[in-house]
Amino acid sequence: MSGETIYKLENAKSGRSYCKKCKIKILKNEIRLGVETDGPSFKLQSWYHPTCFTLPRKLAKEKGGMTARQFVEELLEDYTVDGICSNDTEMIVRQIEEKVSATKKEKGGDDGGVCTERIKKNLARLREEVLGSSDDDDEEYENQPKKKRKMNKLSEEERAEAEVYAMYEKKKNDELKDVLRWNNQMVG
C-alpha cells in the first residue's frame, strides 16, 4: 500500500482545511478535491478547490497524456453527499480544465495572472484619466449616464494598486530585493 495515491472528491467536513494551491480556507460543505498518499508510517492528505487542482505531471504525460475527463471518470473517487461526479461530471471536468489552461505561460514572458492583468488594465485607465483628460472628454463624460460614469471611474483601491504597480513595474530584480530588505522581509 506504500506509495499509492488516491484522488477523492468530497464535501468539506469542517471549515478548517486550506487549499494547498491558493492557501484559502475551504468552507464547510464546499466541494474539495483531495490527494491522499500513503507512506511507510504516515498518511499525507492535501486538499484543493477543484479550480485550483492541476493534473499531476506523471498522469498528464504517461500513456500519451490523461485528460481531465479521463481523470475524473477513472481515478477520482466520489465521496460527496449528492454524488456530484455521477450527476455533474461536466462541471468538475470544466473546473479542472479551466485551471490547466490558466496556468500555461504565454510566450513572451509575463505570468498572465488574473490580478496582474486586472491591475495593468486599471493602470491603463489611470493613465488615460491623467493624460487624456481634455475639455472634450469632460463634456463626453458629463453626457454619459451616471451608471456608466461610475463604471469608468477607478475606486481608490484600484487607483492605489495601479500607482504601486506603475512605481515598481520598471525595476529590476535586485532593486526589488533591496526594497524587500529595507522593509525587513525575507528575500529568496
Side-chain angles (χ1 to χ4, degrees), residues 24 30 36 58-59 72 77 83 87-88 128 150 171:
I24 296 175
E30 187 177 358
E36 188 176 295
K58 67 179 185 178
L59 293 177
V72 170
E77 297 177 14
N87 296 337
D88 201 3
E128 272 181 25
K150 282 185 181 177
K171 295 208 181 282

Side-chain angles (χ1 to χ4, degrees), residues 130-146:
V130 172
L131 299 175
S133 61
S134 64
D135 294 333
D136 297 336
D137 290 340
D138 291 338
E139 288 174 19
E140 186 178 306
Y141 178 77
E142 292 298 325
N143 292 334
Q144 289 179 346
K146 285 185 181 179

Side-chain angles (χ1 to χ4, degrees), residues 33 49-56 60 65-73 76 88-106:
L33 202 146
H49 293 106
T51 53
C52 294
F53 181 78
T54 51
L55 290 176
M66 181 175 267
T67 65
R69 176 171 303 290
Q70 290 171 330
F71 171 77
V72 170
E73 291 172 352
L76 195 61
D88 201 3
T89 306
E90 280 301 312
M91 181 186 73
I92 301 298
V93 169
R94 198 172 343 112
Q95 287 178 341
I96 292 172
E97 285 176 344
E98 280 176 13
K99 185 58 184 173
V100 169
S101 63
T103 57
K104 290 184 180 174
K105 290 188 177 184
E106 300 292 325

Side-chain angles (χ1 to χ4, degrees), residues 12 15-27 30-34 45-54 99:
R16 297 178 304 184
S17 61
Y18 286 85
C19 175
K20 187 172 180 176
K21 184 82 169 196
C22 70
K23 311 290 188 240
I24 296 175
K25 249 186 187 180
I26 300 173
L27 303 175
E30 187 177 358
I31 301 285
R32 65 183 180 181
L33 202 146
Q45 196 160 10
S46 303
W47 298 107
Y48 299 88
H49 293 106
T51 53
C52 294
F53 181 78
T54 51
K99 185 58 184 173

